[in-house]
Each structure stands twice: as C-alpha cells, then as structure tokens.
Amino acid sequence: MRLRLPEERPTEPPTGYKIAHPVLSQDGTRAGFTGVSLGGALPYGVLADASCVYGLRHGAPHRRCDCGFHCVHDRTTAEALLCTAEHRAAVLLEVVVLGRYIRFERGFRYARQRVRTATAGPCACGAVAAALADAGWGRPGWRVLAPSCAGCVRGRTSVSLAAFARLAGDGLRVVAAAEGARPAAAGSDPSAAGSLGVPELVAEAALLQARLDWFQTQLARLGEPGGRGGRQG
C-alpha cells in the first residue's frame, strides 16, 4: 500500500523566500541568480523551470530525489541564513511558487518559480548598497555580484540595482536594505518594476559620481611626473 500525499489546489500561487547570489553574464547582457547550495552551479533567470541536478530524467520535484527549487515559508527564516560567513553577500529573494510542489514543515520544493523581489543587503563597509559589483568569483560565463555602495565600487565591473532589474527582466524588482540591516517585507507591486523612484535615481547618481571620481583620480595619476602616462625626460 503506497502512501499518497494530500493534494492542494490553492486559489493563487504560494509565496516563499530564499537566498541566492546575483550573477551577470560575461558579456554584461543578462542577469540572474545562482543558488547557495544544491544546484549552485546552474544559474537561473527570474522565471525558470527546475531540473534534476543529478542529470536524471524524472521531472522535478521528484518524491525520491531532492531536486527542484527550494524555499521557506517565513521571511525571517530566510534572513537568518544571511548571518553565515559564506552567505553574507547573498541577496534575499521573494519568489512565487509555480507548478508542482511538495510542501514541507518549513517550506516548499517545487518545479517552477518567478522571482518577484530581490533585496540587496548593505555593502561590506556597512553603507546602503547602490550597486551590485564583481564579488571576485563566479561560474563559467557568469560573474557573481555582491552588494556595494557607490564609494566601494571603484573600477570593478558593476551594475546599479535598477540596471540589474532591467537586465534580468520579467518584472523583477530590486531594492536595497537599510544601512546595517535588511528591511521588513518589501512591496512587490509588478506595476512598479519598470519605474524608478527617488531612491533608485539617487543611487544611480551616486554610483555614476563614484565612477567619475575614480576615473578622474586615475587620470590625475597618469599625468603625474613618473606616471605611466607622464612625459619622459
């Protein structure tokens, strides 16, 4: 006698929370995320289907496998994962659980998801993030990004939060946590995904100013006597 799990028929897709690392394609034209544990080698987009990370041909999620996307029910539980050293630079995702799913006590394992909101934590210096900058590691064809303030971006490959949302597409909203902390539940109105408010515009301006200051510093150094661009005697 086989035990059958109860089937749910919700009136609307469930919502869950997880953490992930934001990624930028090598050519800078695409953005997405990569997981922090199982399946971390397979970057995914805002709207994505799960597959078995072991290469098996069954559909995900399978009852006798641990494949599929994973998320937890409670936002606070997901935020707690960001306290570990290896996950400090990850971002918090609010996702919509789509397709088939298996419900557990603390969350879901499921077949398809849409990332609704990504919340970037503070820069390593503690300031509010204005951009997502090269974290110094990645996957083949993808650079992993980390939250950065305008002053710490310097010459690293980076994109503003709004630019990352545009590259990722599919209505993604990217917001910055408050200085030294991550905010309470962020709004997720899809109609606001393509518009820039005052905070986003201020962050864009700060990022551009920081880049300009950095380039001016480099140009000044090149013009100094003995610099690589200086006049030889």
Side-chain angles (χ1 to χ4, degrees):
M1 181 177 178
R2 256 173 63 178
L3 178 65
R4 292 179 62 101
L5 295 175
E7 293 187 3
E8 297 185 31
R9 298 185 182 277
T11 56
E12 58 183 32
T15 296
Y17 301 91
K18 62 194 298 182
I19 64 173
H21 294 290
V23 294
L24 182 69
S25 64
Q26 183 178 359
D27 60 6
T29 61
R30 293 173 295 157
F33 304 94
T34 187
V36 298
S37 56
L38 185 68
L42 302 173
Y44 55 85
V46 173
L47 182 62
D49 295 290
S51 59
C52 182
V53 295
Y54 302 110
L56 302 178
R57 295 183 178 180
H58 57 238
H62 195 276
R63 287 179 57 189
R64 297 183 179 179
C65 186
D66 53 3
C67 59
F69 289 122
H70 295 70
C71 72
V72 296
H73 300 303
D74 184 60
R75 182 188 180 97
T76 304
T77 302
E79 288 178 326
L81 300 175
L82 297 168
C83 294
T84 62
E86 63 270 27
H87 298 156
R88 288 290 178 94
V91 297
L92 178 70
L93 304 183
E94 178 188 332
V95 300
V96 178
V97 176
L98 303 172
R100 296 174 55 248
Y101 63 81
I102 299 175
R103 180 188 289 271
F104 296 94
E105 181 181 358
R106 299 183 65 185
F108 299 99
R109 183 159 62 90
Y110 50 101
R112 198 167 193 244
Q113 74 177 6
R114 177 185 293 277
V115 181
R116 181 181 291 166
T117 305
T119 302
C123 176
C125 72
V128 176
L132 296 171
D134 192 346
W137 62 285
R139 310 295 186 193
W142 295 89
R143 292 187 177 91
V144 171
L145 307 178
S148 176
C149 69
C152 293
V153 166
R154 299 185 182 275
R156 290 185 292 165
T157 298
S158 64
V159 291
S160 67
L161 304 185
F164 183 90
R166 288 194 297 270
L167 290 173
D170 287 317
L172 175 68
R173 183 172 181 233
V174 183
V175 297
E179 187 169 355
R182 294 175 186 268
S188 54
D189 181 8
S191 64
S195 61
L196 295 180
V198 173
E200 288 85 357
L201 290 173
V202 171
E204 290 265 16
L207 178 59
L208 291 174
Q209 184 61 52
R211 286 177 172 169
L212 179 60
D213 292 343
W214 184 83
F215 280 116
Q216 289 177 333
T217 301
Q218 301 307 308
L219 289 173
R221 288 177 179 174
L222 291 175
E224 292 175 355
R228 285 181 297 175
R231 184 179 300 172
Q232 301 296 320

